[in-house]
Amino acid sequence: MAMAKRALITGITGQDGSYLAELLLDQGYEVIGMLRRSSTLNFERIAHIQDRVTLVTGDLLDEISMISILREHRPNEVYNLAAQSFVQTSFSQPVLTGETTALGVTRILDAIRIVDPEIRFYQASSSEMFGKVHEVPQRETTPFHPRSPYGVAKVYGHWITVNYRESYGLHASSGMLFNHESPRRGLEFSTRKITNGAARIKHGLDTTLALGNLDAQRDWGFAGDYVRAMWLMLQQDEPSDYVVATGETHSVRELCELAFGRVGLDHKDHVVVDERFFRPAEVDLLVGDASRARQTLGWKPDVGFSDLVAMMVDADLEVVAR
């Protein structure tokens, strides 16, 4: 009988980590999830599968902890989803963002090189690397022009992954994931802020919702679809980098219209623009060309934009009602 594959997920308690853990468990994997040691841990997203995963403490700031985890648990695959992942925070905490989101990738790649170079590695790259875009849509060959410390850190993480692949022959792949959302998205992100805000206003808890640039356009997909692309990358014979996106673009304003419309309200009566939520350097238009992922991985998104917004609003109506 074949041994079950074993996967390590950094950032398992986050949105993507929780969906990926579900997917891997369904595929028969043993799943190890890495957590930072903290006095307050939030297991909300993985509560339903917590008894089926092994949780270990480690930190992307500490390479020794990464080496110890790899030596003890001997994973076949490592998915690096841990990061300081909020763009707005990266402007106020640029050094911490660099330490975790950039140098953290080097530490985990180096740990793999030292412990077992046969481990397959996935790096969570980001559409924020394209920033001030040089072409529309963005594909694997589009030049990077990041517009935030987060985007800059992700570019470093991306290129160090390429470097370790080319220098040491690691099976290391990057997914250049465009915006992907779900009911498990953190409340600090604009999508969830909008769907939760609409639910709160519908229930009479608030009357207004303050947002930044309503004209910013993004390529939004469902996180549950995107983690499938991550897994598919590590099942290929050859490592590579892939854009993962829907190929559709929608404005923040359009998202507001759908979210408030779902609860029978007009967003114009409740949404106010607040300059505090504008970024120092704005990214205006992101839309990805995922042709390569479709052709090579056989991947495509299943959940469309309007269905995604409806799913999130319905979940937030339940949360707020509780």
Side-chain angles (χ1 to χ4, degrees), residues 255-266:
L255 199 155
C256 290
E257 284 171 13
L258 283 173
F260 280 83
R262 182 76 178 174
V263 298
L265 298 173
D266 185 340

Side-chain angles (χ1 to χ4, degrees), residues 37-65:
R37 193 177 295 283
S38 167
S39 55
T40 53
L41 285 170
N42 183 0
F43 296 111
E44 186 183 350
R45 296 184 182 98
I46 59 166
H48 61 298
I49 54 169
Q50 202 173 328
D51 60 341
R52 298 171 61 200
V53 301
T54 302
L55 297 176
V56 297
T57 55
D59 201 310
L60 291 181
L61 301 181
D62 177 24
E63 187 171 333
I64 298 297
S65 69

